[in-house]
Amino acid sequence: MSARDNILKTIAMNQPEFLEIPVIDTSVVIQYDDVYTQFKTVLQGIGGKTELISDIAVIQEQLAADKKNLSFVVNTIPALGDVDEQVAFLAAAELERVVKAYVKGTLGVAENGAVWVYESQMINRLVPFICQHLVLVIEKENLVDTLHQAYQKLDVSKEGFGAFIAGPSKTADIEQSLVIGAHGARSAVIYVLE
C-alpha cells in the first residue's frame, strides 16, 4: 500500500459522526417591526445607501442623466429603458471601464443589508463587481427579515450563478481599517420601490 493510500485510509477512518442538518423554526428568528428601516440602517452601517421611492421614473431620469454625463454606464433593467445586452459578450478588460451599473435585485435582507441578484439580472456576472458605482433596485414587498426567510423564497439552483451583494466592496484586512471599494464597487445605492 502506498503512502497516499495510507493517508486516505487514515482520513476515511477518522471522519466525524454524521449529524443531521438542524431544523430551524423560522417563526422564532428575528422579526423587525419595520423591515425597510432595519434594511436601511444596516446598509448605511456597511457603507451603502438606500432610498425609498414610489415612482420608477426617478431612477429612469437618473439613468438618462448618467448616460449623458458619464463615460460608460450599464443598464440591465428592462423597466428603466434600453438594456445594454452587449455587456454579455465583454471581457473583464473591457468591463473595467464601467463607471456605473444599474442592476435589478430579487430580494433584500434586513438583518444584513444584502440583496440577492441572479446571474440573468446581471447580464454578465462581472458587472456588479467590476463597476465603480452600483445601483440596485428592489421592490419593498421583497424585503425579508432574515437570511432564513430569503433562502425559503429563493431558488438558488435556478441559474448557474447568483450572489448576495451587501453594499459596496469593503475590507478591513489592511491594518484593521475599513477600506471601501478595495476590490469592487466604490459605492452602492439601493432603490427600494414602494
Side-chain angles (χ1 to χ4, degrees), residues 95-96 98 101 103 115 117-119 122 124-134 136 161-169 181-186:
L95 288 171
E96 183 180 33
V98 175
V103 179
V115 174
V117 183
Y118 284 109
E119 182 174 17
M122 302 173 194
N124 182 320
R125 64 173 63 176
L126 292 175
V127 167
F129 307 106
I130 204 166
C131 65
Q132 292 295 311
H133 305 282
L134 177 61
L136 293 168
F161 179 75
F164 277 110
I165 300 173
S169 164
H183 32 62
R186 294 185 302 163

Side-chain angles (χ1 to χ4, degrees), residues 114-164:
V115 174
W116 176 263
V117 183
Y118 284 109
E119 182 174 17
S120 61
Q121 294 170 306
M122 302 173 194
I123 297 182
N124 182 320
R125 64 173 63 176
L126 292 175
V127 167
F129 307 106
I130 204 166
C131 65
Q132 292 295 311
H133 305 282
L134 177 61
V135 175
L136 293 168
V137 180
I138 60 172
E139 282 87 19
K140 188 176 181 184
E141 65 190 29
N142 291 329
L143 288 175
V144 297
D145 294 305
T146 67
L147 280 170
H148 298 297
Q149 294 164 335
Y151 279 114
Q152 287 175 342
K153 288 187 165 206
L154 292 172
D155 180 4
V156 294
S157 65
K158 174 180 163 186
E159 298 182 13
F161 179 75
F164 277 110

Side-chain angles (χ1 to χ4, degrees), residues 56 59-61 63-64 67 74-85 102 123:
I56 198 163
I59 310 169
Q60 291 168 328
E61 290 169 11
L63 174 62
K67 286 222 176 218
V74 171
N75 175 37
T76 68
I77 307 171
L80 297 182
D82 293 335
V83 172
D84 297 303
E85 297 282 351
Y102 288 75
I123 297 182

Side-chain angles (χ1 to χ4, degrees), residues 7-140:
I7 292 169
L8 292 174
K9 181 180 176 185
T10 305
I11 291 171
M13 290 177 6
N14 288 301
Q15 295 294 314
E17 286 184 40
F18 177 77
L19 297 174
E20 291 287 334
I21 294 176
V23 176
I24 297 170
D25 181 2
T26 57
S27 68
V28 296
V29 296
I30 299 169
Q31 293 181 351
Y32 300 103
D33 293 331
D34 185 341
V35 180
Y36 171 73
T37 299
Q38 179 66 24
F39 179 77
K40 180 177 182 175
T41 301
V42 171
L43 192 62
Q44 286 175 336
I46 59 175
K49 295 178 183 146
T50 188
E51 189 174 329
L52 185 63
I53 60 172
S54 58
D55 189 355
I56 198 163
V58 171
I59 310 169
Q60 291 168 328
E61 290 169 11
Q62 181 182 334
L63 174 62
D66 287 343
K67 286 222 176 218
K68 181 180 175 187
N69 299 320
L70 301 174
S71 59
F72 193 0
V73 177
V74 171
N75 175 37
T76 68
I77 307 171
L80 297 182
D82 293 335
V83 172
D84 297 303
E85 297 282 351
Q86 79 280 4
V87 299
F89 308 104
L90 298 180
E94 297 164 300
L95 288 171
E96 183 180 33
R97 300 178 301 113
V98 175
V99 176
K100 200 169 197 179
Y102 288 75
V103 179
K104 177 94 169 91
T106 299
L107 61 78
V109 183
E111 75 175 339
N112 62 5
V115 174
W116 176 263
V117 183
Y118 284 109
E119 182 174 17
S120 61
Q121 294 170 306
M122 302 173 194
I123 297 182
N124 182 320
R125 64 173 63 176
L126 292 175
V127 167
F129 307 106
I130 204 166
C131 65
Q132 292 295 311
H133 305 282
L134 177 61
V135 175
L136 293 168
V137 180
I138 60 172
E139 282 87 19
K140 188 176 181 184

